[in-house]
Amino acid sequence: MEDVAMEGFENLRSGTEYDALYEAALCRERADWIVGINATQLFSTLYGQTLNVGRVMTPTLAIAVMREAAISAFKPEPFYTVQIGLDGFTAASERFKTKAAAEAVKQKGKAGIVLTHRYPPVKNPPAGKLTGGILPFILPYG
């Protein structure tokens, strides 16, 4: 353990090599102050309740909201694949939107079967981790 410490002291780098890291940390600190404190006060005043806004939190919540919207807007469509059985395993093709395209690939290979895949109907999609927690509070504002 002491050998490693001594080796580190023998190979010290100049402090100027870390100036860029210091500047980056300083920028993050100022962004946290400008965005976090000021925007939090602004949005809390506008909406009459405490709404935390921040350099990391805001884009992270935006990603969660966009993903939730994409899941809600998903429309299941059937697709087709060609499968062929080989020694001990089955190989499957890429997905095709039409059965005719899958049949054309099957004809070229002169073997295989065309399978139709359908997503099962979902009455109530399973709730994501955000749905029951924070998401209902951020959707009206995002």
Side-chain angles (χ1 to χ4, degrees):
M1 183 78 164
E2 288 181 20
D3 295 338
V4 174
M6 291 305 293
E7 184 180 331
F9 281 116
E10 291 170 2
N11 298 314
L12 288 178
R13 295 181 179 180
S14 169
T16 59
E17 289 186 40
Y18 298 100
D19 285 350
L21 291 174
Y22 166 76
E23 295 292 334
L26 194 59
C27 288
R28 284 192 304 274
E29 177 203 12
R30 290 181 180 161
D32 287 342
W33 178 264
I34 292 168
V35 174
I37 304 256
N38 293 314
T40 294
Q41 287 179 347
L42 171 70
F43 286 106
S44 295
T45 302
L46 284 174
Y47 292 102
Q49 63 183 12
T50 302
L51 295 173
N52 294 315
V53 178
R55 175 179 57 87
V56 175
M57 181 187 313
T58 303
T60 303
L61 290 176
I63 291 169
V65 169
M66 287 187 294
R67 180 68 180 138
E68 189 77 16
I71 291 169
S72 296
F74 175 74
K75 302 284 188 255
E77 297 177 0
F79 61 92
Y80 306 88
T81 60
V82 178
Q83 290 188 352
I84 184 169
L86 303 169
D87 289 333
F89 68 95
T90 303
S93 70
E94 62 187 42
R95 294 180 177 188
F96 297 99
K97 288 187 176 187
T98 64
K99 190 169 186 175
E103 289 287 350
V105 169
K106 177 186 165 193
Q107 294 303 322
K108 285 182 184 178
K110 297 182 182 169
I113 57 171
V114 173
L115 296 176
T116 303
H117 304 274
R118 298 186 194 286
Y119 293 99
V122 179
K123 292 182 182 177
N124 293 317
K129 290 185 180 178
L130 289 176
T131 304
I134 196 169
L135 198 56
F137 297 102
I138 61 174
L139 281 178
Y141 309 105

